[in-house]
Amino acid sequence: MTQATVTASELEQAIRNIPDFPKPGVQFKDITPLLSDPRLLSGAVDLMVSAFKPGDVDVVVGIDARGFIFAGAAAIKLQAGFVPVRKKGKLPFKTHEQSYSLEYGSNTIAIHQDAIREGSRILLVDDLLATGGTAEAAVQLLERIGGRILQASFLIELSFLRGRDRLARFPIRSQITY
Ligand code: AMP
């Protein structure tokens, strides 16, 4: 199969801005037009993992729920495992929990206590970096169980919310910045 290369600007054109969703004042970045295009979906994942090759990463950790789409695909491309960080109450086994505030509202996320082996090399993936609260909480959970985060990779970054400043200890990558 030939691998088509996509540009960040093509990805950006496939993201739809929905004003005032889910609350007044929020500019929601709707990625569903990008996801439904096979070339853009595959190209987006390629760009998100481009710093690594198979064998560099033990586990790709995805954040509930849109992060799972990219993290699952990234794990397969990197021949790594996949670990979910989920909203509280969704994981069936023993968990650790962490609360945080979102751009809209607040939330608690959880990870299985035995999700990774001590010292695992982790690529953290989500669709969008806004205030960084979600990713920071995921980092806290991963570090509590002995994970070593190599990079956090996002499709979209809302840079005016300065989420990057909360994740200063490892490289942060994003493909589309607003
Ligand atoms: P934050 O914790 O503020 O960095 O928010 C990041 C999380 O909230 C991600 O999992 C996103 O899916 C979601 N999110 C926050 N703001 C937006 C937005 N403007 N459009 C789409 N998703 C968003």
Side-chain angles (χ1 to χ4, degrees):
M1 197 176 80
T2 17
Q3 199 67 56
T5 317
V6 305
T7 62
S9 118
E10 285 179 283
L11 296 177
E12 185 174 350
Q13 283 164 34
I15 291 164
R16 183 158 58 189
N17 191 69
I18 312 284
D20 301 319
F21 183 90
K23 281 189 184 182
V26 176
Q27 302 291 324
F28 190 86
K29 303 301 178 200
D30 176 16
I31 60 171
T32 60
L34 183 156
L35 296 177
S36 65
D37 181 313
R39 193 174 144 267
L40 296 182
L41 176 59
S42 179
V45 178
D46 284 340
L47 288 172
M48 289 174 77
V49 304
S50 63
F52 300 104
K53 58 185 189 313
D56 289 347
V57 168
D58 298 309
V59 174
V60 181
V61 173
I63 302 179
D64 199 346
R66 288 183 294 276
F68 292 169
I69 301 161
F70 299 101
I76 292 165
K77 292 208 189 219
L78 294 176
Q79 294 166 27
F82 166 77
V83 165
V85 166
R86 295 214 63 183
K87 297 188 176 102
K88 181 185 167 168
K90 299 285 186 187
L91 288 169
F93 187 58
K94 285 181 276 182
T95 59
H96 292 299
E97 292 183 356
Q98 186 71 46
S99 296
Y100 64 99
S101 48
L102 276 175
E103 188 191 3
Y104 43 89
S106 73
N107 212 344
T108 301
I109 53 173
I111 195 166
H112 273 154
Q113 290 182 10
D114 66 350
I116 57 159
R117 275 198 294 274
E118 179 90 33
S120 289
R121 298 164 301 165
I122 293 170
L123 170 62
L124 179 62
V125 167
D126 201 0
D127 66 324
L128 184 145
L129 176 65
T131 66
T134 314
E136 185 182 35
V139 168
Q140 286 164 343
L141 288 173
L142 290 166
E143 290 183 341
R144 203 185 308 173
I145 58 174
R148 186 156 64 87
I149 297 153
L150 302 184
Q151 184 189 97
S153 185
F154 303 89
L155 179 66
I156 303 166
E157 177 177 1
L158 305 183
S159 57
F160 54 92
L161 294 172
R162 308 188 66 90
R164 190 176 274 272
D165 296 351
R166 296 167 77 159
L167 305 168
R169 293 194 304 285
F170 42 82
I172 310 298
R173 294 203 37 184
S174 59
Q175 304 308 321
I176 301 156
T177 307
Y178 293 95

